[in-house]
Amino acid sequence: QVQLVESGGGLVQPGGSLRLSCAASGYTSNYYLIGWFRQAPGKEREGVSCISSSGASIDYADSVKGRFTISRDTGKKTVYLQMNSLKPEDTAVYYCAVDVYGRDCKSVPQSYYDYWGQGTQVTVSS
C-alpha cells in the first residue's frame, strides 16, 4: 500500500523559512516523480515543485523559483522542500504526491500523480 506522509508545516513570519518533508513508502518502481503541490483557500491546487527519482529532473513554479529548493534522500525515500523568504501568499495546504512511473518533471499534469498525502498547513503571517 502506497503511503505519503507530509510533515514540517506550521506558522512562520514573512521572510522566514520552513522545511517540509514527504516520506514515501509502499511502491517498488525505480523511476518515479515526487511532486509538491499547494492549495490556498478558494483557489485551485497548483504545482510547486517536482523531483525525479534520479534527481536529474527538477522543476519549480515561477512563483517559488529562487526561494524554494527540492531535494531527496533516496535511501529514506524522503523528499524535502526547503522554503525560504516566505511570503503571505505562500500560505496554503501543501501536499506531496507520487507519479510511480514518471521520469521527467516537465509538463506533467496533476492527473498523472497516482497517490497523494494528507497535506500539511503552512501559514505565513505576522
Side-chain angles (χ1 to χ4, degrees):
Q1 182 179 353
V2 177
Q3 279 193 315
L4 298 168
V5 180
E6 302 99 335
S7 61
L11 173 64
V12 64
Q13 292 187 342
S17 298
L18 282 174
R19 189 177 81 155
L20 305 184
S21 299
C22 172
S25 63
Y27 57 89
T28 58
S29 173
N30 290 325
Y31 299 100
Y32 55 88
L33 304 176
I34 297 288
W36 281 101
F37 301 83
R38 65 187 182 186
Q39 188 166 22
K43 294 188 177 181
E44 292 188 354
R45 188 171 59 196
E46 62 174 352
V48 175
S49 186
C50 167
I51 188 167
S52 64
S53 52
S54 67
S57 179
I58 290 177
D59 198 21
Y60 297 98
D62 288 343
S63 58
V64 306
K65 281 180 181 176
R67 300 188 299 122
F68 290 11
T69 303
I70 194 169
S71 61
R72 80 208 193 284
D73 182 331
T74 53
K76 296 181 180 179
K77 271 194 173 177
T78 299
V79 171
Y80 305 98
L81 186 67
Q82 178 67 43
M83 306 186 297
N84 298 329
S85 302
L86 283 161
K87 305 175 182 180
E89 51 263 45
D90 294 317
T91 295
V93 178
Y94 283 70
Y95 301 90
C96 66
V98 62
D99 172 356
V100 295
Y101 296 111
R103 298 194 183 196
D104 188 348
C105 284
K106 291 293 184 183
S107 302
V108 176
Q110 292 189 29
S111 59
Y112 279 34
Y113 285 84
D114 306 282
Y115 301 95
W116 294 75
Q118 81 290 349
T120 186
Q121 176 71 47
V122 171
T123 302
V124 185
S125 175
S126 55

